[in-house]
């Protein structure tokens, strides 16, 4: 069983952390992953930096730009992660955009992920129909879960199509804005959370965008399996450095 599916079976609310590989410094990637697991994080999304990150807010865009300037690229990330399963056991997901995966070669990329021990991919700009037609068989061949995103604007029909095509969890974007732009959840977002819960989907949902403290984590996880923190974590790294990871996790739960 994929590590993501194993984690989702645990009786707890999942805390997932996103960070950009190669940031703040080029060789920080492995230490950040190891420290996050040591401090109780359940799942990690490793951001593969891209030059045109349209869905990301300014904090993640800036970290992506800095990582690229540091020299981060796909092959280097794979090299950094080649021994990660000697020290880390929680699920690891690579999150990025489809262009670098396509340029690397989709099958070659998936094969390297399997060899390293990556459990899934999040590629927001890979359309569902293209995935099903061209890439689903390759993802399954290498044991990778493809995580799809939904937003408050996604129709119930489309959500059910995504649910049918998924075999892990659904990334539930809390709002239509870019990452890092939300400061708490209002009535519309709460109604959205309740609407999705009422659909009784087969795949659990994990909420991303706008989670930055215990209150928003609690709000996001009342009707879902967990929540993802990205921008707030990167801001913390900017301010306090990678040795302060335990302090950040303590502020969430």
């Amino acid at each position: 069983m994929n590590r993501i599916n194993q984690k989702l079976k645990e009786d707890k609310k999942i805390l997932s952390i996103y960070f950009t590989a190669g940031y703040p410094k080029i060789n920080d990637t492995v230490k950040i992953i190891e420290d996050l697991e040591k401090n109780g994080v359940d799942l990690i999304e490793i951001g593969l930096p891209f030059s045109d990150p349209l869905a990301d807010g300014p904090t993640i865009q800036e970290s992506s730009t800095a990582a690229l300037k540091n020299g981060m690229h796909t092959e280097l990330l794979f090299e950094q992660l080649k021994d990660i399963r000697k020290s880390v056991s929680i699920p690891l997901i690579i999150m990025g955009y489809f262009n670098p995966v396509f340029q690397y070669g989709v099958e070659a990329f998936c094969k390297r992920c399997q060899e390293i021990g990556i459990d899934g991919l999040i590629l927001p700009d890979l359309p569902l129909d293209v995935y099903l037609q061209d890439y689903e068989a390759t993802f399954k061949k290498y044991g990778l879960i493809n995580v799809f995103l939904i937003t408050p604007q996604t129709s119930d029909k489309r959500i059910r199509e995504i649910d049918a095509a998924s075999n892990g969890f659904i990334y539930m974007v809390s709002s239509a804005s870019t990452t890092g732009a939300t400061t708490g959840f209002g009535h519309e977002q709460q109604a959205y959370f309740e609407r999705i819960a009422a659909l009784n989907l087969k795949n659990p949902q994990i909420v991303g965008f706008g989670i930055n403290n215990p209150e928003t984590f609690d709000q996001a996880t009342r009707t879902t399996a967990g929540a993802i923190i990205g921008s707030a974590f990167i801001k913390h790294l900017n301010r306090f450095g990678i040795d302060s990871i335990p302090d950040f996790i303590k502020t969430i739960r």
Side-chain angles (χ1 to χ4, degrees):
M1 182 184 291
N2 187 290
R3 294 179 192 88
I4 295 171
N5 299 120
Q6 290 176 333
K7 180 60 66 174
L8 289 166
K9 288 182 178 294
E10 295 181 10
D11 185 22
K12 65 187 298 189
K13 296 297 184 179
I14 288 174
L15 172 59
S16 177
I17 296 289
Y18 168 95
F19 77 99
T20 303
Y23 182 84
K25 296 180 181 177
I26 189 70
N27 292 316
D28 285 341
T29 308
V30 170
K31 177 172 170 50
I32 290 172
I33 293 170
E34 291 175 341
D35 285 0
L36 286 172
E37 180 177 48
K38 287 174 186 174
N39 287 280
V41 170
D42 302 299
L43 188 154
I44 298 172
E45 296 171 19
I46 305 161
L48 179 59
F50 182 54
S51 57
D52 192 22
L54 294 176
D56 296 314
T59 299
I60 293 177
Q61 283 192 18
E62 287 165 12
S63 70
S64 188
T65 299
L68 291 171
K69 287 180 178 177
N70 287 344
M72 178 52 67
H73 55 83
T74 304
E75 188 60 43
L76 178 56
L77 176 59
F78 286 145
E79 181 65 24
Q80 289 179 345
L81 297 178
K82 66 180 181 179
D83 295 320
I84 196 67
R85 287 303 174 193
K86 293 180 180 178
S87 59
V88 173
S89 62
I90 61 173
L92 300 175
I93 295 174
I94 291 179
M95 183 171 185
Y97 293 83
F98 186 60
N99 185 274
V101 178
F102 184 77
Q103 294 297 325
Y104 193 90
V106 176
E107 178 141 12
F109 190 97
C110 292
K111 185 173 186 289
R112 289 298 300 276
C113 285
Q114 183 189 56
E115 291 169 351
I116 289 165
I118 299 298
D119 303 290
L121 300 177
I122 303 174
L123 303 168
D125 59 340
L126 176 59
L128 173 63
D129 55 343
V130 175
Y131 166 75
L132 291 175
Q133 179 176 311
D134 297 336
Y135 303 117
E136 181 182 30
T138 303
F139 276 57
K140 289 186 174 179
K141 177 181 177 181
Y142 295 103
L144 293 170
I145 286 175
N146 188 29
V147 178
F148 295 99
L149 282 70
I150 63 172
T151 75
Q153 285 68 45
T154 309
S155 68
D156 289 0
K157 179 177 182 292
R158 187 66 168 176
I159 290 170
R160 292 199 183 280
E161 291 171 351
I162 288 171
D163 188 43
S166 299
N167 60 339
F169 67 90
I170 294 172
Y171 189 127
M172 187 173 161
V173 177
S174 67
S175 71
S177 64
T178 55
T179 57
T182 308
T183 55
F185 299 123
H187 294 301
E188 286 187 12
Q189 286 160 317
Q190 294 291 352
Y192 164 56
F193 295 162
E194 292 168 8
R195 171 194 150 212
I196 301 305
L199 292 175
N200 292 315
L201 303 175
K202 71 181 178 72
N203 290 277
Q205 305 91 55
I206 299 181
V207 180
F209 292 45
I211 295 94
N212 50 35
N213 56 36
E215 290 72 32
T216 48
F217 182 84
D218 179 64
Q219 283 182 304
T221 57
R222 285 174 191 165
T223 59
T224 67
I228 302 155
I229 300 176
S231 297
F233 178 65
I234 290 172
K235 287 177 181 176
H236 183 88
L237 293 182
N238 289 344
R239 186 172 180 187
F240 300 107
I242 65 171
D243 291 333
S244 67
I245 287 174
D247 298 329
F248 179 80
I249 302 304
K250 288 175 186 174
T251 69
I252 304 301
R253 68 178 187 189

